[in-house]
C-alpha cells in the first residue's frame, strides 16, 4: 500500500534546503522516536495524518487527499519558527514525484500557522496543516 506520510518524510530528507538547515536526519512520520525525545528540545519535524475531507470521494480515481499536521520543534521559539518556515516552503515547492513508493501529486497549505509549546514538555513548537494529493497504489521505484 502507498504511504503518503513516509513519502513526505523521504521527500523532505532528500531536499538540499532541509539538509542545509540540519533537519534531514530529524524528520519523522507519526511521532518522535523515544531516542530522539530524550534529546529534545532541538530542531526536529514531525508529520502526522490528521484526517480531513477527501477531494476524490465518489470517483474511481486511485488517488486521495490527506490532511497532514506538521510540527516543527527547536531549542528556542525562533529555532522552531525557522524549522517550520524551511519545511513549509519546501512542502509548497513540492513537484509531482514518487518517494518511498508513493506518488505525491501536490501539497497545499490547509490553514495558518500556530506557535506555542508542546503540551506536557513545554518544548518550543510551530504547527501548520497541509493537504496532500497522493496515489493509493504503491509504485516500485
Amino acid at each position: 500500500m502507498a504511504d503518503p506520510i513516509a513519502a513526505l518524510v523521504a521527500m523532505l530528507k532528500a531536499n538540499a534546503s532541509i539538509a542545509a538547515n540540519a533537519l534531514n536526519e530529524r524528520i519523522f512520520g507519526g511521532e518522535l522516536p523515544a531516542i530522539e525525545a530524550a534529546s529534545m528540545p532541538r530542531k526536529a519535524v514531525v508529520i502526522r495524518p490528521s484526517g480531513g475531507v477527501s477531494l476524490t470521494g465518489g470517483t474511481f480515481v486511485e488517488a486521495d487527499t490527506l490532511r497532514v499536521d506538521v510540527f516543527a520543534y527547536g531549542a528556542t521559539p525562533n529555532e522552531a519558527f525557522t524549522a517550520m518556515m524551511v519545511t513549509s516552503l519546501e512542502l509548497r515547492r513540492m513537484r509531482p514525484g514518487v518517494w518511498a513508493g508513493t506518488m505525491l501529486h501536490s501539497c497545499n497549505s490547509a490553514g495558518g500557522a500556530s506557535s506555542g509549546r508542546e503540551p506536557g514538555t513545554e518544548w518550543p513548537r510551530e504547527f501548520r496543516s497541509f493537504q496532500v494529493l497522493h496515489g493509493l497504489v504503491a509504485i516500485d521505484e
Side-chain angles (χ1 to χ4, degrees):
M1 299 225 357
D3 184 345
I5 300 297
L8 288 168
V9 168
M11 185 271 298
L12 287 170
K13 283 185 172 186
N15 184 283
S17 293
I18 297 293
N21 281 280
L23 279 166
N24 59 330
E25 294 304 316
R26 292 194 301 274
I27 299 174
F28 307 99
E31 64 184 6
L32 283 171
I35 195 162
E36 183 67 27
S39 300
M40 295 296 280
R42 64 181 183 169
K43 284 187 202 175
V45 171
V46 176
I47 302 171
R48 295 183 188 140
S50 64
V53 177
S54 172
L55 300 179
T56 61
T59 73
F60 295 102
V61 175
E62 290 189 355
D64 204 354
T65 53
L66 174 68
R67 180 180 158 180
V68 297
D69 292 339
V70 178
F71 297 88
Y73 299 95
T76 65
N78 188 57
E79 192 174 75
F81 175 78
T82 300
M84 177 57 79
M85 295 310 292
V86 170
T87 303
S88 177
L89 180 60
E90 295 311 321
L91 287 171
R92 292 167 187 263
R93 287 179 172 169
M94 186 193 80
R95 297 294 180 256
V98 177
W99 291 273
T102 298
M103 178 69 192
L104 296 178
H105 296 279
S106 64
C107 184
N108 300 303
S109 177
S114 175
S115 299
R117 299 227 173 224
E118 180 74 5
T121 63
E122 296 301 310
W123 302 332
R125 178 185 83 180
E126 293 281 325
F127 166 84
R128 182 167 282 187
S129 295
F130 293 86
Q131 186 85 2
V132 179
L133 177 61
H134 63 90
L136 294 175
V137 178
I139 296 173
D140 292 329
E141 295 181 76

